[in-house]
Amino acid sequence: MEPNSASSIEAETKEMDVRSLSASHQHSQYLHKVGIPPKQNLLREFTARVKETLFADDPLRPFKDQPRSRKLVLGIEAIFPIFEWGRSYNWRKFRGDLIAGLTIASLCIPQDIGYARLANLAPQYGLYSSFVPPLIYAFMGSSRDIAIGPVAVVSLLLGSMLSNEIDPNQNEAEYLRLAFTATFFAGITQVTLGFLRLGFLIDFLSHAAIIGFMAGAAITIALQQLKGLLGIEKFTKKTDIISVMRSVWGSVHHGWNWQTILIGVSFLSFLLLTKYIGKKSKKFFWVPAIAPLISVILSTFFVYITHAEKKGVQIVKNIEKGINPSSVNQIYFTGDYLLKGLKIGVVAGMIALTEAVAIGRTFASMKDYQLDGNKEMVALGAMNVVGSLTSCYVATGSFSRSAVNFMSGCETAVSNIIMSCVVFLTLEFLTPLFKYTPNAILAAIIISAVVGLIDVKAAILVWKIDKFDFVACLGAFLGVVFVSVEIGLLIAVIISFAKILLQVTRPRTAILGKVPRTNVYRNILQYPEATKVPGVLIVRVDSAIYFSNSNYVKERILRWLMDEEEKVKAGCQPTIHFLIVEMSPVTDIDTSGIHALEELHSSLEKKNIQLILANPGPVVMDKLEASKFANLIGDDKIFLTVSDAVSSCSPKLVENV
């Protein structure tokens, strides 16, 4: 295209913009005024706000206009969803649940024995935790797919935090009591969050931070299993990578057992191969599901016939036979350990809750049904409270088992009941068979299970989408790997809150320009073709204006103005006479925000610049009127749209250009 033709098109575009501005000015008498909402009853407004915060899902809707008998039935179904879906239960659904329950049972039994060791507990406590809690959840939970039991991350977290208070080797009885106490308060925390409708609190731990925390925990768990995989007897109690590797290499000449390594590495390779087969073809999902049990059977048989335990291969030895004994009298309700159990329980309960709700929502979206987060919290909390009274430690939703449950064709929570029944039979009759199970195979099972927690693709996606989110992810990961699980969790929480504070205290602002041949005004960085209106600076604030950011918003707008004034001095553009603040994204404003606008107005008056507001929302407009700020700048300086505001103040300037 020739230069003359390009310049003529540009001139024509400017002429059309001037004409549209002039036309808008001619019809300015038809401009709509910004409406002032009617005064609301304070109590009614407060009640509506509380209802929207805590009861956003309107849980009482089904109870409206129902007879008393029906309300009673609905109330029972709300607490125990099994009575709702149980009415339509049939043989076809039972067949799917039976297959799924048997499949996840074959996966959970060897995992439970290994996870109990992660928590520094005897193997039977892992099995106990897959017997009672799944039964309670089946009656109270709203997820059809989640599989309940001990999980690696929570087991490691509990083991790490509990051992900081009590040495499990020297004071086994007190350690066990503290574990039950922490489990009790984990359940109380979960029930409280669900009952008070405070489930939104767990959302403060960002998805990116959870990705980093889980990956770091997976590596930490895998490193801890080197003790069993290599047959090392004396091993560090610390979880950071430096201490663990120092302990591993420090015992290379006198602590490693080659028979143990042979068993561990062989079966770990087998387990990883089966996981690969399961990923490559979904019809073989059952292969990695039954592989752990097959590995336990084969390795136990091998050790039994060769008497490898006499050659240094460490074995499980005795697993206590029988179902869960009562632990009601073992929970600390007084004394020094009460507060310690409370602290550990709250942390473990929140992490367990975060994992379970995330898993439940994932599978609910796949099957297209709604998951009631608050009901889930009450169900998970109730099962952990009951579990703490029946010798269980913290149980939650397991991702690996839930995935197997889903792919096995589960229909309802009955699959958890089937799994629980298999665990019951194991505790009653089969525990002696695990006597010769080598510790190396449990280590291999745990390592193969936690490999799936390292989600590199998700971390890369976080990096591409939001760099600050990636900092949270990386911070949590490094904290867990190089310091401890608790520190990693603390870093994740701190960075997540830091991000929220940064977004609240430093909201985005933008300069708007007019998109050619329209009356639309958009960010000039996003739309380079958008042109500034001569003599007018249009700024958009992309946040509510509160005490935390009001001063920043005022100063940022004045800095935008200073930048424009420098361009005026350089002769690049006409003098600014009007400042238009686009307030569509400003959802709310407080007294500090009003005060900041008053200071901005005062500063602009000294520069002979008029302040104009465009499209304030109902809440903001109500407060502008109540504070008399609307009277201060004049009702004729508040417009419905940016286009209306521009047309009322800019045509004379345009005509003079």
Side-chain angles (χ1 to χ4, degrees):
M1 186 182 290
E2 294 180 7
N4 288 339
S5 115
S7 60
S8 64
I9 290 173
E10 189 178 346
E12 188 179 340
T13 301
K14 285 185 178 179
E15 189 178 341
M16 287 176 70
D17 287 345
V18 170
R19 274 194 229 133
S20 68
L21 284 168
S22 300
S24 299
H25 180 59
Q26 288 170 7
H27 294 91
S28 60
Q29 63 266 35
Y30 301 113
L31 297 179
H32 289 282
K33 286 291 183 182
V34 176
I36 302 170
K39 289 290 181 183
Q40 296 289 325
N41 178 279
L42 182 61
L43 180 61
R44 192 179 301 163
E45 188 177 353
F46 176 76
T47 304
R49 194 70 176 267
V50 171
K51 182 182 176 183
E52 193 60 32
T53 302
L54 301 180
F55 303 96
D57 54 343
D58 197 7
L60 299 179
R61 181 188 292 269
F63 292 83
K64 288 179 182 177
D65 304 322
Q66 297 288 344
R68 186 173 297 178
S69 58
R70 180 60 182 159
K71 285 181 179 178
L72 178 62
V73 171
L74 288 172
I76 294 171
E77 289 178 352
I79 300 171
F80 302 103
I82 192 170
F83 292 114
E84 181 184 356
W85 54 260
R87 290 199 300 269
S88 61
Y89 199 70
N90 53 40
W91 169 251
R92 183 189 62 79
K93 290 181 179 179
F94 177 73
R95 187 174 56 188
D97 288 335
L98 178 65
I99 295 169
L102 293 173
T103 308
I104 57 176
S106 69
L107 176 64
C108 86
I109 291 168
Q111 281 187 348
D112 291 342
I113 296 170
Y115 291 160
R117 298 175 72 86
L118 270 181
N120 298 316
L121 296 169
Q124 65 267 18
Y125 293 104
L127 294 171
Y128 293 161
S129 302
S130 277
F131 172 46
V132 173
L135 289 176
I136 305 298
Y137 181 84
F139 280 82
M140 298 185 69
S142 58
S143 172
R144 304 173 197 166
D145 305 283
I146 199 168
I148 298 297
V151 296
V153 173
V154 176
S155 299
L156 175 69
L157 182 67
L158 265 181
S160 175
M161 296 185 76
L162 290 171
S163 58
N164 287 339
E165 305 295 341
I166 301 174
D167 190 320
N169 298 318
Q170 295 180 2
N171 298 299
E172 186 178 345
E174 288 187 0
Y175 182 90
L176 189 60
R177 290 188 67 184
L178 188 60
F180 295 150
T181 305
T183 302
F184 176 81
F185 284 111
I188 293 295
T189 300
Q190 293 168 338
V191 169
T192 303
L193 288 174
F195 186 74
L196 297 179
R197 319 285 296 180
L198 299 176
F200 60 86
L201 292 177
I202 64 173
D203 293 332
F204 278 94
L205 194 60
S206 70
H207 178 64
I210 292 172
I211 291 171
F213 175 76
M214 290 294 189
I219 290 176
T220 301
I221 291 166
L223 290 173
Q224 289 284 304
Q225 298 316 301
L226 292 177
K227 175 187 177 182
L229 201 68
L230 302 175
I232 302 170
E233 291 186 11
K234 293 182 179 179
F235 201 73
T236 181
K237 293 179 181 177
K238 296 179 180 178
T239 60
D240 64 282
I241 188 170
I242 295 172
S243 299
V244 170
M245 295 313 295
R246 196 176 283 160
S247 184
V248 168
W249 293 114
S251 56
V252 65
H253 295 298
H254 53 82
W256 292 17
N257 180 277
W258 72 266
Q259 293 96 334
T260 302
I261 296 172
L262 180 63
I263 294 170
V265 172
S266 299
F267 281 101
L268 178 59
S269 302
F270 168 69
L271 290 167
L272 293 175
L273 177 63
T274 58
K275 284 181 79 75
Y276 177 76
I277 292 170
K279 277 188 176 180
K280 290 295 283 184
S281 178
K282 288 187 178 179
K283 66 180 179 180
F284 292 120
F285 71 89
W286 52 271
V287 174
I290 65 168
L293 189 59
I294 291 172
S295 300
V296 167
I297 294 169
L298 291 177
S299 62
T300 302
F301 180 72
F302 174 76
V303 170
Y304 177 73
I305 62 172
T306 61
H307 290 287
E309 78 279 3
K310 295 179 181 179
K311 298 174 184 176
V313 174
Q314 298 172 25
I315 57 174
V316 170
K317 296 180 183 176
N318 292 324
I319 298 179
E320 199 168 307
K321 194 176 178 182
I323 59 171
N324 310 34
S326 172
S327 55
V328 175
N329 297 327
Q330 296 193 53
I331 297 173
Y332 289 111
F333 291 111
T334 57
D336 295 338
Y337 289 126
L338 171 62
L339 287 178
K340 291 176 181 178
L342 174 63
K343 179 190 73 173
I344 296 168
V346 169
V347 174
M350 292 288 279
I351 291 299
L353 204 55
T354 303
E355 186 169 356
V357 171
I359 292 166
R361 285 173 179 169
T362 299
F363 290 107
S365 66
M366 289 181 182
K367 286 191 176 178
D368 194 26
Y369 66 90
Q370 288 297 110
L371 190 73
D372 189 325
N374 291 295
K375 277 185 186 176
E376 283 295 284
M377 292 174 201
V378 172
L380 292 164
M383 77 179 192
N384 277 316
V385 169
V386 175
S388 70
L389 306 177
T390 53
S391 300
C392 304
Y393 74 97
V394 180
T396 187
S398 164
F399 189 82
S400 58
R401 284 181 229 176
S402 298
V404 170
N405 197 30
F406 175 81
M407 290 186 286
S408 301
C410 72
E411 295 286 344
T412 67
V414 170
S415 60
N416 275 294
I417 298 176
I418 303 295
M419 178 190 72
S420 183
C421 291
V422 175
V423 173
F424 164 76
L425 294 173
T426 303
L427 283 166
E428 281 290 347
F429 306 109
L430 303 179
T431 51
L433 299 179
F434 292 99
K435 179 179 179 180
Y436 289 97
T437 300
N439 289 345
I441 196 65
L442 300 178
I445 288 169
I446 291 173
I447 291 171
S448 67
V450 298
V451 164
L453 296 177
I454 305 172
D455 197 340
V456 178
K457 288 183 179 178
I460 292 171
L461 186 62
V462 169
W463 167 261
K464 289 178 179 177
I465 294 172
D466 191 321
K467 301 298 185 287
F468 198 96
D469 256 2
F470 184 77
V471 171
C473 177
L474 189 63
F477 174 78
L478 296 176
V480 172
V481 171
F482 286 99
V483 189
S484 67
V485 178
E486 304 98 290
I487 295 298
L489 182 59
L490 183 63
I491 290 172
V493 172
I494 289 172
I495 294 177
S496 296
F497 270 100
K499 182 183 179 183
I500 294 170
L501 286 173
L502 191 63
Q503 290 175 336
V504 169
T505 59
R506 295 293 182 267
R508 296 182 185 276
T509 58
I511 297 289
L512 305 186
K514 185 173 182 294
V515 178
R517 295 176 293 281
T518 70
N519 284 326
V520 176
Y521 292 81
R522 291 291 181 265
N523 188 340
I524 59 173
L525 294 178
Q526 186 179 1
Y527 298 90
E529 70 276 14
T531 55
K532 295 178 183 178
V533 179
V536 180
L537 176 63
I538 309 169
V539 178
R540 187 182 68 215
V541 179
D542 293 333
S543 166
I545 304 176
Y546 290 132
F547 65 94
S548 57
N549 63 21
S550 58
N551 196 50
Y552 169 79
V553 169
K554 179 195 71 176
E555 291 180 350
R556 188 68 189 93
I557 291 174
L558 289 174
R559 273 192 286 134
W560 281 124
L561 194 60
M562 287 171 61
D563 292 342
E564 296 301 307
E565 286 174 347
E566 287 178 4
K567 293 176 183 177
V568 170
K569 290 177 182 177
C572 300
Q573 63 185 35
T575 304
I576 301 295
H577 291 281
F578 300 94
L579 172 67
I580 299 174
V581 181
E582 156 71 301
M583 301 192 74
S584 300
V586 182
T587 54
D588 202 355
I589 192 167
D590 64 3
T591 51
S592 298
I594 297 287
H595 186 61
L597 288 181
E598 289 171 349
E599 291 180 346
L600 177 63
H601 177 254
S602 178
S603 298
L604 294 175
E605 275 191 325
K606 294 173 184 176
K607 299 174 182 287
N608 292 320
I609 299 174
Q610 289 188 34
L611 175 62
I612 297 175
L613 304 182
N615 195 25
V619 175
V620 175
M621 192 63 204
D622 184 44
K623 293 181 179 180
L624 292 178
E625 283 289 329
S627 64
K628 308 297 183 185
F629 182 77
N631 294 337
L632 177 66
I633 65 170
D635 287 333
D636 58 336
K637 296 295 187 292
I638 302 177
F639 294 90
L640 190 63
T641 66
V642 174
S643 178
D644 289 349
V646 170
S647 67
S648 71
C649 65
S650 67
K652 291 182 180 179
L653 293 167
V654 173
E655 290 163 10
N656 293 333
V657 174

